[in-house]
Amino acid sequence: MEVHLNDAKLLEQACGALMSLSSADGGTGAISRGIVSAGGIDALIQALKVHPYSVTVQLEGIGTLGNLAMDRNCEEEIGSKSGITFVFDAMKMHPTSSNIQKNCCNALRNLTSHHENLEILANLQPEPHLNAAGKIFPEDCKETAEVLLRKLQGNQSLWSALCLMISPEVPDG
C-alpha cells in the first residue's frame, strides 16, 4: 500500500480487502496478526491521512482498524500511532455518512478499552460528535455512541477523584 499511497482507487480496494480479511477472524486470529506483522496498521493510518476525502478509504480503513483493535496489543499500537485521532477526524469530516459514523463509533469503542487510548479520545472532546452521530443515525450509532459517552464520563469522574486525592482543598482559616 505504501508504494501506491497516491492511488485512491487502489487504496480503496486494498482497504476493502483488509477489512474483509480482518473481520473474517474477528480481528484477533492469524489473518489479522499477518496484517499487523506486514505493517498493516502503519499502512492503514497513512491511507487515512493521505485520503481524508475518500469515503471508501475512510470507511474501510477505519473498519479495518476497528477490527484489528479487538486485539489488545493492536489497540495499543493503533493508539500510539495517532490512529484514534484519524478515526475521530473522519467522524468530523464525514458527518452525513451513516456508514462512516457507524465504523468510527465501532472503532472508537474497540480502541478505548485501554486507558491511555480513552484519555487520547477524551482530549479530542468528541462528545458533540458522538451525540450527533447517535441522534442522526440512531439505528447505526446510538447504542455505541452512548457506550463511548459513558466511558468518557467515567474517565472524567475517575480523573476528578484522583485530582482530589492528590491535592485536596485546604480550608481557609
Side-chain angles (χ1 to χ4, degrees):
M1 281 177 49
E2 290 180 29
V3 175
H4 301 284
L5 270 177
N6 293 322
D7 188 342
K9 291 292 180 197
L10 183 62
L11 287 178
E12 288 173 1
Q13 293 174 352
C15 288
L18 291 174
M19 188 168 89
S20 294
L21 290 168
S22 64
S23 67
D25 70 2
T28 61
I31 295 171
S32 292
R33 285 192 300 275
I35 292 169
V36 172
S37 67
I41 291 173
D42 290 325
L44 287 161
I45 290 172
Q46 277 300 107
L48 295 175
K49 182 178 182 179
V50 173
H51 296 285
Y53 300 105
S54 169
V55 170
T56 304
V57 169
Q58 296 295 308
L59 175 69
E60 295 178 346
I62 289 165
T64 306
L65 289 177
N67 290 340
L68 296 175
M70 295 299 292
D71 179 276
R72 177 122 172 128
N73 292 327
C74 292
E75 176 193 352
E76 291 176 20
E77 183 177 344
I78 293 165
S80 73
K81 294 181 175 182
S82 301
I84 294 166
T85 301
F86 286 109
V87 171
F88 183 60
D89 287 347
M91 183 174 226
K92 294 186 300 186
M93 189 167 292
H94 301 279
T96 60
S97 170
S98 64
N99 290 328
I100 288 183
Q101 294 299 305
K102 179 181 179 178
N103 279 8
C104 287
C105 286
N106 289 333
L108 291 172
R109 180 197 58 219
N110 295 347
L111 284 164
T112 54
S113 66
H114 186 263
H115 177 73
E116 289 179 10
N117 287 356
L118 184 58
E119 193 63 31
I120 291 168
L121 181 60
N123 288 334
L124 297 172
Q125 300 177 338
E127 293 85 355
H129 301 282
L130 292 169
N131 280 319
K135 286 179 184 168
I136 297 169
F137 308 109
E139 289 183 20
D140 292 327
C141 301
K142 184 178 180 184
E143 185 177 323
T144 308
E146 288 174 351
V147 167
L148 283 162
L149 289 165
R150 283 192 301 272
K151 279 185 173 183
L152 290 163
Q153 182 62 38
N155 187 55
Q156 182 61 39
S157 299
L158 175 63
W159 279 111
S160 297
L162 287 173
C163 288
L164 284 175
M165 289 173 57
I166 293 169
S167 61
E169 292 183 28
V170 178
D172 292 337

